[in-house]
Amino acid sequence: MRPSTLRALNRAAELTRQNRLTEAMLIAEPVILTADEYEGAEIRQWLLDHVADFTDENQNHDEPKELP
């Protein structure tokens, strides 16, 4: 994955944790849409591996989770 793509994904995760979803999408969407099939696969894997970066699950592990 290109370093610029990784920076964009990390920044989008940071903004998402701050409840700034619109800004996060403005940063992540162009990177995702312009990725070729190989980088797209790397992005998908990165997202799966870093879901807690977006949900902030690691920092709130003491609080009980409510089911939807």
Side-chain angles (χ1 to χ4, degrees), residues 3 17 28:
R17 288 190 305 272

Side-chain angles (χ1 to χ4, degrees), residues 7-67:
R7 279 192 305 274
L9 294 174
N10 282 322
R11 180 64 178 142
E14 180 182 332
L15 290 168
T16 301
R17 288 190 305 272
Q18 296 171 7
N19 292 320
R20 295 166 60 188
L21 234 23
T22 302
E23 291 171 83
M25 287 303 298
L26 288 172
I27 289 172
E29 186 177 31
V31 170
I32 293 168
L33 292 176
T34 59
D36 63 19
E37 65 180 285
Y38 300 107
E39 188 171 41
E42 290 177 324
I43 290 170
R44 281 189 294 280
Q45 187 60 53
W46 187 91
L47 289 169
L48 290 171
D49 293 344
H50 293 88
V51 69
D53 293 347
F54 287 86
T55 61
D56 203 21
E57 288 179 5
N58 290 337
Q59 302 211 359
N60 296 320
H61 65 278
D62 294 333
E63 298 177 18
K65 298 283 183 192
E66 292 185 30
L67 295 175

